[in-house]
Amino acid sequence: MTRRSLLQTLGAAAAGGAVPQVSGQRRRRPYDIVIKNGEVRDPSRGLKARADVAVHDGKIAEVASEIPAERGREVIDAKGLYVTPGLVDLHTHIVYGVRSGIEADPIAARSGTSTWIDAGTFAYDQIEGFRRFIVDRNQCRVFGFVYLYPASRNPDIDPLKYVSGLMDATGRAASANRDIVLGVKFQVGSNMNGRYSHDFLKIARRLCDEYDLRLLVHISTAPPETEEVMKLLKPGDVVTHCFNEHTLGIVDRDTGKLKPSVKEARLRGVLFDVGHGSGSFNFESARRALDQGFLPDSISSDIYSANMNGPVFDLPTTMSKLLYLGMTFDDVLKCSTVNPARVVTPLPKLGTLQVGAPGDVALLSVEDGAFELIDAQRNKVTAKQRIVSHLTICKGKRLVAPV
Ligand SMILES: [Zn+2]
């Protein structure tokens, strides 16, 4: 491709966003990092081109057909690699030491995952600790959903009164920490909450309405039924574990068809997230939904200590499973960058490579070969491709796995 046609490609692809420029002489100060010779993929604006990317002062500083190597204090050769926005994992458990929380940074460094969203490992009275020991101490970006769980097992306490009693404290704490708390996580399903699950969900609904918070719901085992859950969800709310094989799922187990209430929920703006985890991603369930044109809005790992050594491993492995099932690399990337970034309301432009966006970049490749992939029910498949991370840049710096 000639330089001129590449520029046209860049300009056309960037319609609606910042138009990439050829690096000119206007700016003499060196950039912190220049990434050269990579294939840039930025699904936020449909940008697909060979281009160079500069990162400076923790932000994306320039995307252009050529940025001279001498402009970078550090120069990274990305020949043969995709240069993408840093990956955003919408469902993780990274409150180390609390339940099955893991340390984020070591996996962030090797997985291209620069943003980690904890999906309800902490309660309202643990937000301060979450900020101080998890958000502030990690090199990667960390946000979270606070949980509203009926944690009391005291038979003398009315569970509904107990959970209602947590409502205001949870709402107030989440509101006071909107820079890191993205909403409320609630687990729906009889395996978690017994016969009160639907009532608890209504309390979570009321909480989110009163305090203007996003609701993230885990679906697992009925009751309640999918229809009852969908009815309580509003635009911007997120359903996680959408490709589970349990009774509280998005596909009718008898007919194999998507449930009408799920289609309606998507139409009104409810988001559907993968949330792989130890029990919630099944190849057949995913295939049935994908065959009906139902792609997830976001791909997330639901990584925690019990699955980090398999079957989850990390976000690129989960992405590889969706690639195996027929999603395109670009769609998979969209579901792991700009789409999940939309729930990170405190940080606009996250999940993109637009100039001025947070300086988060992943260097990825799609390897060919024969790779075993395992779902949550331990079904094995052999994939011909897998997504591999080569480098994570977060807040303008390379992430290096702590020794
Ligand atoms: Zn989870």
Side-chain angles (χ1 to χ4, degrees):
M1 185 182 279
T2 64
R3 186 178 166 89
R4 184 175 165 74
S5 64
L6 173 59
L7 280 174
Q8 284 166 345
T9 307
L10 284 166
V19 178
Q21 328 156 336
V22 178
S23 181
Q25 300 306 312
R26 280 169 288 155
R27 195 180 173 290
R28 296 285 178 191
R29 205 158 58 97
Y31 292 126
D32 291 337
I33 301 175
V34 171
I35 305 164
K36 289 197 63 72
N37 308 320
E39 289 291 325
V40 173
R41 293 286 183 273
D42 182 0
S44 75
R45 51 184 169 153
L47 178 57
K48 295 162 79 167
R50 211 222 51 74
D52 296 345
V53 176
V55 180
H56 192 74
D57 275 347
K59 292 198 162 56
I60 302 299
E62 187 174 357
V63 180
S65 55
E66 193 180 353
I67 303 173
E70 53 270 25
R71 298 290 308 278
R73 284 197 187 97
E74 181 181 2
V75 178
I76 294 166
D77 185 6
K79 195 172 174 12
L81 302 177
Y82 291 112
V83 180
T84 76
L87 305 179
V88 179
D89 196 339
L90 192 151
H91 187 157
T92 69
H93 294 280
I94 52 169
V95 183
Y96 184 73
V98 176
R99 288 191 287 280
S100 44
I102 60 163
E103 280 185 275
D105 271 345
I107 300 172
R110 67 161 168 78
S111 69
T113 311
S114 48
T115 300
W116 291 63
I117 301 174
D118 186 274
T121 315
F122 59 94
Y124 74 91
D125 54 355
Q126 296 167 314
I127 292 178
E128 207 176 314
F130 176 66
R131 179 189 294 281
R132 188 161 168 189
F133 297 106
I134 308 300
V135 176
D136 291 350
R137 297 239 175 138
N138 270 293
Q139 297 174 64
C140 61
R141 292 183 199 278
V142 174
F143 300 90
F145 284 81
V146 61
Y147 78 59
L148 179 72
Y149 286 164
S152 171
R153 292 287 181 264
N154 185 338
D156 296 331
I157 295 177
D158 178 325
L160 289 177
K161 274 193 187 144
Y162 175 80
V163 176
S164 293
L166 298 174
M167 203 184 97
D168 280 321
T170 304
R172 277 197 301 271
S175 298
N177 291 279
R178 284 185 193 270
D179 59 324
I180 55 168
V181 176
L182 308 178
V184 175
K185 160 84 181 289
F186 188 76
Q187 294 193 323
V188 194
S190 61
N191 60 333
M192 304 303 301
N193 302 320
R195 62 201 170 93
Y196 298 108
S197 197
H198 193 210
D199 295 317
F200 290 150
L201 178 59
K202 288 179 188 164
I203 296 169
R205 172 76 275 153
R206 231 169 64 218
L207 159 60
C208 289
D209 287 347
E210 282 185 25
Y211 290 88
D212 190 23
L213 295 163
R214 192 188 299 274
L215 181 55
L216 168 64
V217 295
H218 142 132
I219 54 170
S220 53
T221 308
E225 298 302 324
T226 304
E227 290 66 24
E228 295 174 294
V229 176
M230 295 300 142
K231 220 182 270 177
L232 287 170
L233 299 180
K234 295 192 170 172
D237 288 339
V238 184
V239 175
T240 190
H241 306 318
C242 68
F243 294 153
N244 73 34
E245 59 136 24
H246 308 310
T247 46
L248 180 48
I250 65 170
V251 169
D252 186 304
R253 285 152 69 92
D254 296 326
T255 65
K257 298 281 178 214
L258 274 168
K259 293 179 179 175
S261 63
V262 169
K263 290 189 199 168
E264 286 161 19
R266 164 159 278 180
L267 282 176
R268 65 174 189 274
V270 173
L271 305 171
F272 290 83
D273 172 64
V274 168
H276 188 307
S278 295
S280 303
F281 178 81
N282 179 272
F283 283 127
E284 265 323 297
S285 296
R287 192 189 298 282
R288 275 199 296 270
L290 294 173
D291 284 350
Q292 292 169 69
F294 193 93
L295 270 59
D297 292 290
S298 54
I299 297 172
S300 67
S301 66
D302 189 14
I303 189 167
Y304 47 86
S305 57
N307 62 41
M308 63 184 281
N309 295 314
V312 169
F313 298 105
D314 53 26
L315 184 56
T317 305
T318 306
M319 292 161 70
S320 298
K321 292 174 192 179
L322 277 305
L323 191 67
Y324 163 79
L325 288 168
M327 278 178 70
T328 65
F329 177 64
D330 290 322
D331 278 342
V332 166
L333 200 56
K334 192 175 176 184
C335 290
S336 317
T337 55
V338 66
N339 280 6
R342 289 198 177 109
V343 309
V344 186
T345 42
L347 203 52
K349 282 193 174 178
L350 184 73
T352 82
L353 289 177
Q354 294 179 46
V355 171
D360 300 359
V361 182
L363 300 194
L364 306 174
S365 64
V366 178
E367 284 184 355
D368 295 320
F371 308 105
E372 185 178 80
L373 297 172
I374 306 171
D375 70 8
Q377 281 65 47
R378 305 301 189 266
N379 298 301
K380 288 182 189 169
V381 298
T382 303
K384 290 187 177 138
Q385 292 187 311
R386 72 173 172 190
I387 296 167
V388 176
S389 165
H390 299 263
L391 186 71
T392 313
I393 294 173
C394 181
K395 303 175 189 171
K397 294 193 174 82
R398 277 173 186 253
L399 288 192
V400 179
V403 185

